[in-house]
Amino acid sequence: MKKTIAFMMVALLCLSQMVLSPAQVQSASEFDANRLRVAYSVDPDGLDPQRTVAASTFQVTSNIYDTLVKVTPAGELQPGLAESWEVSEDGLQITFKLVEGKQFHNGEPFNAQAVVNSFERLKEEDSPRAKDYQNIIEMEAVSEYEVRFTTEELDVDLPSKFAYAWTAIVETGVADSLRTQPVGTGSYRLVEWTPQERILLEAYEGALTQAKIRTVEMRNIPDPQARVLAMQSGEVDFMSISGEQRPLVETISGYQVIANPMNGIQLMPMNQENEYLKDPQVRRAIAMAVNKESLIEHIFADDGQKIGSHYPPILANYVDLSEYIPYDVEGAKQLMEEAGYGDGFKLKMYLPKDYQMYVDAGQVIAEELKQLKIQVEIEVVEWAYWLENVYQGRQYDLTVVGHTGRLDSYQWLARYHSESPENYFNYSNERVDEILETVSQIQDATERDVLYQELQTILAEEVPAVYIQSPAQLMAMREEIQGYETYPIDIMPYSDLSYR
């Protein structure tokens, strides 16, 4: 029984492989060096990087837009649309010197005023990232290619905040249509987007970083077996895969699998607005009843690393809290009795349909919680529903999801501030608020490290979520593709890729 789930998944895929004709398999060796065909599972919720929180959107828009600051796969900052920058002695101002002679895809000029306009829009009330940039109190176009930002308070991580995909410089002259007709300065321009079907990108000749592959065709294939079949038949050149798919994909002639540690975590958030889940003892009991090792082995196919708090092991300041709450069903039952809930209760779990591993994990957890007499009603919902009603609307009890792509400790942990718009746990702790309100103003790195490590420990103790694992990023691609690297933020720059 130990390997049952993973074995059945591979067996089903192998049976599917048997229906392919020799001609279909042979076609896998053919490719067009001017075209990259990408399979993706989750359609973006629009192509406006300033009006989304979805990683699936940033994976696309990071090719259409540029940011002032870029990040390397190692997490280092480097010039983007800003060729250099300087921070004032008091740390309250940052001045960017911009690259010259660039244009947006529609021919409008890129300059300091375009940057100011773009950040003004990012800070508007209906921007989901507005609160992250409220510390910026003034933006000034000092000259045509120089722009200065002034902050109200010291933020030692300020330069990194200009590297995230949501800080993309957009052409605000067409702001009302950016959701479906994005206009940036990036390596690719949008040719076509047919929702739930495909996205077609074409290399932009005047880009800051010139793409090596002229056309990128992104095909929406939600079903994981269908994606593997498409790769087997040579219809797909590049795609993300799960651990269950890896054994089969590695048998496909002409393809390779690259596995890299991911700057991300996977977890089961618990909404503390719920009358039962607001009790930390109940949350701890639930965490004790979840067998993380089994989930990682059977659902996530042994590719991840168990965690105990909201922080990935790949980053500095990580504290190993993976054993802080042990798997102990009998101990969990005792905690439920002590909390006055020995007879159990009912909870509602919403799971995002487009992420099969989260659906599978949620179903397994629901079965485990029956041991505590907790009855979990599961509803599998579309991704757009999950974003609007679970993440933004906070209308749920339990869910299973992942978080990725923050460059510094503060950005990883800031969502736990009681007033954060991203605090969909409805978690509140005065000490956590105090740390988050002061840590970015502390210039001594050692002192900051101590506070971040304390915050991780508080989360492990109070369990606003069951922290499961930090996953690996598995990418399958043709053997001829080179240049792929994993980034610590939610971007997938196809301009990195080329064919041998």
Side-chain angles (χ1 to χ4, degrees):
M1 294 295 292
K2 190 175 182 182
K3 297 281 187 180
T4 300
I5 298 176
F7 175 80
M8 288 179 64
M9 290 291 292
V10 174
L12 285 170
L13 289 170
C14 289
L15 286 172
S16 298
Q17 184 182 24
M18 293 173 63
V19 305
L20 293 173
S21 69
Q24 287 175 304
V25 176
Q26 178 63 33
S27 67
S29 64
E30 302 169 2
F31 68 93
D32 180 351
N34 291 314
R35 179 182 64 176
L36 180 72
R37 295 169 300 176
V38 179
Y40 67 100
S41 61
V42 182
D43 213 36
D45 64 341
L47 297 175
D48 183 345
Q50 295 184 349
R51 295 295 184 269
T52 186
V53 296
S56 57
T57 295
F58 298 134
Q59 296 283 313
V60 182
T61 60
S62 58
N63 294 282
I64 299 171
Y65 296 93
D66 289 314
T67 51
L68 293 178
V69 178
K70 296 173 68 175
V71 62
T72 68
E76 299 171 345
L77 302 181
Q78 65 179 21
L81 285 172
E83 62 181 33
S84 64
W85 58 89
E86 183 177 347
V87 179
S88 62
E89 287 189 14
D90 62 8
L92 297 178
Q93 287 187 332
I94 184 169
T95 303
F96 293 97
K97 183 179 179 182
L98 308 178
V99 297
E100 300 184 18
K102 295 300 175 183
Q103 294 181 332
F104 289 97
H105 297 159
N106 63 355
E108 290 298 312
F110 165 76
N111 52 32
Q113 190 57 52
V115 172
V116 171
N117 294 344
S118 188
F119 271 88
E120 285 178 345
R121 182 173 184 266
L122 179 66
K123 287 168 54 64
E124 288 174 355
E125 187 175 345
D126 58 344
S127 166
R129 299 293 176 182
K131 190 176 187 301
D132 294 342
Y133 294 86
Q134 66 180 4
N135 189 35
I136 296 175
I137 56 175
E138 185 179 354
M139 297 172 287
E140 177 188 4
V142 179
S143 66
E144 186 174 8
Y145 293 105
E146 191 173 14
V147 62
R148 179 177 298 134
F149 294 81
T150 303
T151 61
E152 184 173 18
E153 297 177 338
L154 175 67
D155 181 353
V156 295
D157 296 314
L158 184 61
S160 70
K161 288 182 168 57
F162 294 90
Y164 292 107
W166 51 80
T167 66
I169 305 304
V170 306
E171 211 283 82
T172 57
V174 291
D176 292 342
S177 61
L178 290 178
R179 184 182 183 280
T180 57
Q181 301 174 51
V183 178
T185 61
S187 299
Y188 289 91
R189 65 178 186 87
L190 179 72
V191 175
E192 175 194 336
W193 176 32
T194 304
Q196 309 301 325
E197 291 186 19
R198 76 166 189 165
I199 297 168
L200 187 62
L201 305 175
E202 183 179 70
Y204 175 51
E205 298 298 335
L208 183 67
T209 303
Q210 191 61 54
K212 304 173 187 69
I213 299 176
R214 179 166 183 77
T215 301
V216 175
E217 181 184 2
M218 303 179 66
R219 301 179 180 181
N220 185 213
I221 309 177
D223 182 74
Q225 295 184 37
R227 289 197 299 276
V228 173
L229 287 171
M231 180 161 279
Q232 287 175 314
S233 63
E235 298 172 16
V236 167
D237 306 312
F238 184 89
M239 70 180 189
S240 173
I241 63 171
S242 66
E244 291 87 353
Q245 295 170 319
R246 182 175 186 173
L248 178 57
V249 172
E250 288 180 332
T251 70
I252 302 175
S253 177
Y255 286 84
Q256 59 181 322
V257 175
I258 296 179
N260 291 326
M262 189 174 177
N263 183 21
I265 65 168
Q266 293 166 333
L267 66 165
M268 184 184 75
M270 296 182 277
N271 189 349
Q272 270 109 101
E273 283 295 302
N274 178 280
E275 62 177 309
Y276 307 113
L277 298 177
K278 67 182 179 183
D279 186 335
Q281 193 154 307
V282 169
R283 299 197 301 272
R284 189 179 184 92
I286 288 174
M288 292 173 69
V290 174
N291 188 337
K292 297 180 186 180
E293 288 89 349
S294 180
L295 283 175
I296 292 170
E297 180 178 3
H298 294 144
I299 304 301
F300 300 110
D302 270 338
D303 285 307
Q305 180 176 342
K306 186 171 72 169
I307 57 173
S309 190
H310 194 111
Y311 206 84
I314 196 173
L315 295 183
N317 296 323
Y318 172 72
V319 181
D320 186 357
L321 298 161
S322 58
E323 303 298 332
Y324 198 90
I325 295 180
Y327 173 57
D328 180 359
V329 176
E330 293 306 313
K333 291 177 180 178
Q334 183 177 342
L335 284 179
M336 290 286 285
E337 290 284 354
E338 293 173 359
Y341 298 117
D343 294 329
F345 44 77
K346 294 181 179 180
L347 297 174
K348 186 71 174 286
M349 177 186 286
Y350 290 89
L351 300 170
K353 177 182 177 182
D354 294 325
Y355 293 92
Q356 188 60 46
M357 69 177 67
Y358 298 150
V359 174
D360 294 343
Q363 291 171 339
V364 170
I365 291 171
E367 286 297 314
E368 291 179 319
L369 295 186
K370 287 181 180 179
Q371 299 173 97
L372 306 185
K373 299 182 181 179
I374 297 176
Q375 301 301 312
V376 180
E377 178 186 351
I378 292 176
E379 185 169 345
V380 180
V381 298
E382 298 293 339
W383 182 237
Y385 179 97
W386 190 94
L387 285 172
E388 180 178 355
N389 295 282
V390 177
Y391 189 74
Q392 296 173 336
R394 306 184 186 186
Q395 301 300 309
Y396 77 104
D397 297 327
L398 304 173
T399 188
V400 180
V401 76
H403 290 295
T404 62
R406 297 297 185 270
L407 289 173
D408 54 71
S409 302
Y410 180 84
Q411 290 296 325
W412 262 107
L413 299 166
R415 68 173 62 249
Y416 287 96
H417 192 286
S418 58
E419 296 182 4
S420 170
E422 295 188 285
N423 182 3
Y424 66 114
F425 318 88
N426 286 304
Y427 173 73
S428 181
N429 178 288
E430 290 184 3
R431 177 55 182 162
V432 168
D433 285 356
E434 181 184 5
I435 291 172
L436 291 171
E437 288 165 7
T438 59
V439 68
S440 290
Q441 301 172 44
I442 297 173
Q443 293 182 304
D444 183 88
T446 301
E447 187 177 349
R448 289 200 308 274
D449 292 348
V450 170
L451 290 175
Y452 286 131
Q453 291 165 3
E454 178 188 349
L455 205 163
Q456 290 175 62
T457 304
I458 292 173
L459 296 180
E461 290 175 348
E462 298 209 331
V463 213
V466 176
Y467 304 104
I468 302 170
Q469 72 154 359
S470 180
Q473 176 71 61
L474 301 177
M475 297 299 299
M477 66 196 76
R478 289 186 180 273
E479 290 178 346
E480 295 85 0
I481 292 176
Q482 59 186 359
Y484 169 73
E485 294 187 270
T486 302
Y487 285 80
I489 60 176
D490 292 320
I491 61 174
M492 178 66 72
Y494 297 122
S495 59
D496 286 354
L497 305 181
S498 64
Y499 287 96
R500 291 187 180 91

